[in-house]
Amino acid sequence: MSTILNVIWFVLAGLWLAIGYFFTGLLFCIFIVTIPFGIANMRLAGYVLWPFGRTVVYDRDAGCFSLLGNVLWLILFGWELALAHLVTGFLQAITIIGIPLAVANWKMIPMALWPMGARVIEKR
């Protein structure tokens, strides 16, 4: 079932989201200071490409630089991304076939807010 949902997600939303996150990540990698944000965007791009059957796990021992990066990310970029995922999820939930896609979109909100110290793993 997750493969079918991933294919539908990929066609309707995942490809464009992944392209946007990927190219934004490349822009962040231009400057040395913003490379961690670029890596976080690449991680988000991989997650939004194929989200069903995967989950996000946070490393609680990531350290103070991860916390500082998350606070900067939240202030500068995270709240816009989370709001976009929230609104898109509401729009997808209008149709019956869009409800699982909306849930997947809402699952991305925590990672859009706090990407540092997060890993995407396969569900078992």
Side-chain angles (χ1 to χ4, degrees):
M1 186 64 162
S2 67
T3 303
I4 294 169
L5 289 171
N6 274 325
V7 170
I8 294 170
W9 173 266
F10 180 81
V11 171
L12 296 178
L15 179 63
W16 302 113
L17 277 171
I19 289 171
Y21 277 122
F22 180 77
F23 283 116
T24 306
L26 287 178
L27 287 175
F28 279 131
C29 288
I30 291 174
F31 301 108
I32 293 173
V33 176
T34 57
I35 286 176
F37 297 123
I39 293 169
N41 261 6
M42 300 294 181
R43 204 174 311 121
L44 281 165
Y47 184 49
V48 301
L49 193 61
W50 209 255
F52 293 97
R54 301 165 81 188
T55 188
V56 177
V57 176
Y58 286 94
D59 182 15
R60 300 294 177 205
D61 299 326
C64 64
F65 290 116
S66 176
L67 176 66
L68 178 64
N70 275 330
V71 170
L72 286 172
W73 178 272
L74 177 68
I75 293 169
L76 298 174
F77 316 107
W79 69 271
E80 294 101 339
L81 290 173
L83 186 63
H85 283 294
L86 183 70
V87 169
T88 306
F90 281 125
L91 293 175
Q92 289 171 332
I94 292 172
T95 64
I96 292 174
I97 198 166
I99 291 172
L101 304 178
V103 171
N105 227 332
W106 294 329
K107 272 183 14 182
M108 294 174 197
I109 291 174
M111 190 154 174
L113 287 172
W114 304 100
M116 308 295 181
R119 291 181 300 131
V120 178
I121 61 169
E122 298 291 323
K123 282 186 186 175
R124 293 184 189 164

